[in-house]
Every structure is written in structure tokens, then in C-alpha cells.
């Protein structure tokens, strides 16, 4: 199956770290799983896909309020490609700055484009 001429369908999510609850420090309020060094067969979102996926969101945290969803596949963060990133490399890029612009795709977007 080939990609459509416009590429992988994605949306942009912008967020800024903030203090969440009574924990010290600023956070985006989400967790990730996956990466090229992880077992893609254990991926609960798209079996066999070794991409980086959102696995948890803090309710009303910056990521949740920005529109990020559990199961979103993170393709890019602040201009850095995550499609071939290890888990640790993805974490370092995702947490590097106070502000993040993510390009993500969703299962339904991939299905609508005929990619799943």
C-alpha cells in the first residue's frame, strides 16, 4: 500500500507545560509508549506498529486541553521526526522544552485515508 500524495494525514497539537495538581514542576500531563526499540506486537493501538503513542493523559492537563488523545501516534515534536525514534529518544525530545508542537495521527484518520 502506498501513501497518498499528501502524505500521512495528521493534526497539529500545541501545548505549554504547566503545574498540575500539587506536584512540583511543570509538565505536559501525558505519557507515551512505543518506539523502534519496543516490541511492536504489544502495541494495543495499532498492532505491529513501532511508533510512539500517547498511552495516558492527565484530565484537564495541558495535553488533554490541547486535544491530545490516548492512542494518538506522535509523528513529530517541535520539527523533530519521531517515526524512527527509540522510546528514550522520544521522551527526551518530548520533554526538552516548555512548549511543544506535535504532529499526530489517529487510527480513524489512517482508516479514512485507506492506510489501515
Amino acid at each position: 500500500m502506498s501513501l497518498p500524495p499528501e502524505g500521512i494525514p495528521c493534526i497539529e497539537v500545541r501545548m505549554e507545560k504547566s503545574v498540575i495538581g500539587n506536584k512540583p514542576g511543570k509538565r505536559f500531563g501525558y505519557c507515551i509508549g512505543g518506539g523502534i526499540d519496543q516490541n511492536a506486537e504489544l502495541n494495543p493501538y495499532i498492532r505491529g506498529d513501532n511508533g510512539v503513542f500517547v498511552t495516558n493523559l492527565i484530565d484537564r492537563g495541558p495535553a488533554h486541553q490541547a486535544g491530545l488523545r490516548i492512542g494518538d501516534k506522535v509523528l513529530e515534536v517541535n520539527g523533530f521526526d519521531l517515526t524512527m525514534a527509540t522510546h528514550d529518544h522520544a521522551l527526551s525530545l518530548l520533554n526538552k522544552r516548555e512548549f511543544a508542537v506535535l504532529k499526530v495521527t489517529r487510527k480513524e484518520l489512517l482508516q479514512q485515508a485507506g492506510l489501515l
Side-chain angles (χ1 to χ4, degrees):
M1 182 178 300
S2 62
L3 287 176
E6 59 277 359
I8 296 173
C10 62
I11 59 170
E12 191 172 271
V13 177
R14 295 172 174 267
M15 59 191 153
E16 187 174 352
K17 286 182 180 178
S18 69
V19 175
I20 301 172
N22 57 1
K23 293 189 176 183
K26 293 182 177 182
R27 302 179 296 155
F28 289 121
Y30 68 99
C31 297
I32 62 161
I36 61 169
D37 58 335
Q38 306 296 305
N39 185 343
E41 292 306 313
L42 299 178
N43 180 336
Y45 307 107
I46 302 175
R47 187 160 313 281
D49 190 319
N50 63 357
V52 175
F53 289 81
V54 177
T55 59
N56 194 19
L57 287 168
I58 294 177
D59 193 37
R60 292 185 293 279
H64 181 249
Q65 291 180 351
L68 208 58
R69 296 183 194 169
I70 292 174
D72 281 353
K73 181 177 180 179
V74 184
L75 304 173
E76 186 179 291
V77 60
N78 296 331
F80 292 98
D81 182 5
L82 291 187
T83 59
M84 295 300 291
T86 64
H87 183 80
D88 287 343
H89 185 64
L91 276 176
S92 70
L93 289 173
L94 288 162
N95 292 312
K96 193 172 190 170
R97 297 196 176 122
E98 293 291 310
F99 186 81
V101 178
L102 278 59
K103 286 190 180 176
V104 303
T105 193
R106 297 184 169 140
K107 195 171 188 174
E108 62 265 20
L109 294 175
L110 295 172
Q111 288 169 332
Q112 289 168 4
L115 298 173
L116 280 183

